[in-house]
Amino acid sequence: MLQPRIRPICIQCHHLLSSARNYATAAESQVRASTSIAETTSFTPSSAPMRRDSGALQMKTYKPRTPGVRHLRRPINDHLWKGGPHKPLTFPKIGHGKGGRNNSGRITVRHHGGGARRRIRTVDFERKEPGKHLVERIEYDPNRSAHLALLEHVKTRERSYIIAAEGMRAGDAVESYRSGIPKELIKSMGGVVEPGMLAAKTAFRGNCLPMHMVPLGTQVFCVGSNPSKGAVFCRSAGTYATIMAKEEKGGKVLSVTVRMQSGEVRKVAKDACATVGVASNPHWQFRQLGKAGRSRWLNIRPTVRGLAMNASDHAHGGGRGKSKGNVHPVSIWGTPAKGGYKTRKKRNINKFVVQPRIRNQGKRRAKK
């Protein structure tokens, strides 16, 4: 059995681990008592860790009893549910889709195949069900990088999966306001909907709000673009968007401008959904699999360089020695691979993008 050990990266955080043994598991997570939304008074958004500020970052390492675990690094997530998923909200992933095939059996996504058996979790990205929900547990999902939270409606006892926010634990209470503001909440504000007071009572971690109700400067994830659909942006681990501005006319909000982590600034509908907080599992980007076999367990097949192929299989293949034939870098289908090759027509611009993200154009990005 693998014995994890916690190794601090910097000397400053060594005192935090003075009570832990060298190769013991992480400290037991403390179970929080259930808290209601009314008891919470403020929200401090957490940010995803940056690689330059990773001095206090802690990863779970293992005693190198085999070569495959010597370089194995995993995030510390002792609060996750140790059992299986909620079966009524899952279905098995079977058929050609697991191997990257379409309905006619042709490979449309390369480097997929094999891997452990898994079940697809049905995630509620719309969150239109009003009322108070309690977080029953936080679960690992093999189909995505972020964690899932199993919710239970207080009145109907119906369960659903959502993308968990960073810091969310079992017993927390969350609510969705996409269907409107409850009458009890309006009554508690004296019958007048004041934006500042409304934000103080609704903008808590894990709550789903329409974009026009989210205060400026708030970090949100699971962001939607259309009021009739669910979340499409910022659904991976540690991702978030920042509310930058609201376009108003006659006292009514027309659209909301958000800034993505990539630097792209775009407009979304005022009634599109957004969950307050940062997507869970932000340390996922620092993981190390340790061996090639773990990639195969994750349904990832090897990637062969075009230079190592035959001339009939790739434009870079063939020749004697390491030579790609004095041709510009292209993909296996002949599309230019560098230099920012664009396929979008100039007359078909994306009207929702206010400021596009910075692209490398085939060159190394200059250090700031």
Side-chain angles (χ1 to χ4, degrees), residues 82-97:
K82 302 299 189 295
H86 184 57
K87 282 292 186 68
L89 295 176
T90 64
F91 60 92
K93 184 175 183 179
I94 55 176
H96 284 165

Side-chain angles (χ1 to χ4, degrees), residues 242-263:
T242 307
I243 308 297
M244 300 298 294
K246 297 180 181 180
E247 182 182 354
E248 298 182 356
K249 185 177 181 180
K252 294 184 178 180
V253 179
L254 300 180
S255 63
V256 181
T257 304
V258 297
R259 185 181 187 275
M260 306 295 179
Q261 283 180 296
S262 62

Side-chain angles (χ1 to χ4, degrees), residues 101-117:
R101 271 91 171 161
N102 59 4
N103 57 355
S104 62
R106 295 182 180 273
I107 297 178
T108 55
V109 182
R110 299 192 303 158
H111 315 135
H112 282 200
R117 292 186 299 174

Side-chain angles (χ1 to χ4, degrees), residues 261-272:
Q261 283 180 296
S262 62
E264 178 180 291
V265 180
R266 66 182 299 139
K267 290 183 178 181
V268 296
K270 68 181 185 66
D271 292 323

Side-chain angles (χ1 to χ4, degrees), residues 63-285:
K63 194 168 185 177
R65 289 190 170 88
T66 61
V69 298
R70 180 176 297 275
H71 300 288
L72 179 61
R73 303 287 186 272
R74 286 173 174 169
I76 301 174
N77 292 315
D78 293 332
H79 61 283
L80 294 182
W81 172 252
K82 302 299 189 295
H86 184 57
K87 282 292 186 68
L89 295 176
T90 64
F91 60 92
K93 184 175 183 179
I94 55 176
H96 284 165
K98 196 174 181 183
R101 271 91 171 161
N102 59 4
N103 57 355
S104 62
R106 295 182 180 273
I107 297 178
T108 55
V109 182
R110 299 192 303 158
H111 315 135
H112 282 200
R117 292 186 299 174
R118 61 177 66 174
R119 298 183 69 87
I120 303 296
R121 277 72 167 172
T122 305
V123 182
D124 181 16
F125 288 112
E126 295 187 359
R127 297 190 64 178
K128 291 185 177 181
E129 184 67 25
K132 189 176 179 180
H133 293 72
L134 291 179
V135 178
E136 186 173 336
R137 62 197 185 208
I138 308 296
E139 295 185 8
Y140 165 78
D141 187 3
N143 308 292
R144 68 192 74 249
S145 56
H147 296 151
L148 296 182
L150 182 63
L151 304 184
E152 183 180 9
H153 199 281
V154 175
K155 294 183 179 180
T156 62
R157 298 299 178 183
E158 293 184 0
R159 293 179 176 178
S160 60
Y161 276 124
I162 65 168
I163 302 293
E166 176 61 18
M168 183 182 290
R169 295 294 184 270
D172 292 353
V174 295
E175 193 169 351
S176 175
Y177 297 94
R178 291 198 67 187
S179 300
I181 305 174
K183 295 181 179 179
E184 295 80 6
L185 185 57
I186 299 177
K187 190 176 181 179
S188 65
M189 294 187 295
V192 180
V193 179
E194 201 274 326
M197 183 68 68
L198 183 63
K201 292 180 175 291
T202 57
F204 303 128
R205 175 175 50 206
N207 284 1
C208 184
L209 308 173
M211 293 296 294
H212 65 87
M213 287 179 56
V214 183
L216 295 179
T218 306
Q219 292 178 342
V220 294
F221 68 101
C222 283
V223 180
S225 62
N226 195 312
S228 61
K229 296 183 179 180
V232 292
F233 302 122
C234 303
R235 306 193 323 191
S236 299
T239 57
Y240 62 91
T242 307
I243 308 297
M244 300 298 294
K246 297 180 181 180
E247 182 182 354
E248 298 182 356
K249 185 177 181 180
K252 294 184 178 180
V253 179
L254 300 180
S255 63
V256 181
T257 304
V258 297
R259 185 181 187 275
M260 306 295 179
Q261 283 180 296
S262 62
E264 178 180 291
V265 180
R266 66 182 299 139
K267 290 183 178 181
V268 296
K270 68 181 185 66
D271 292 323
C273 61
T275 304
V276 181
V278 180
S280 55
N281 199 16
H283 296 166
W284 179 83
Q285 60 174 323

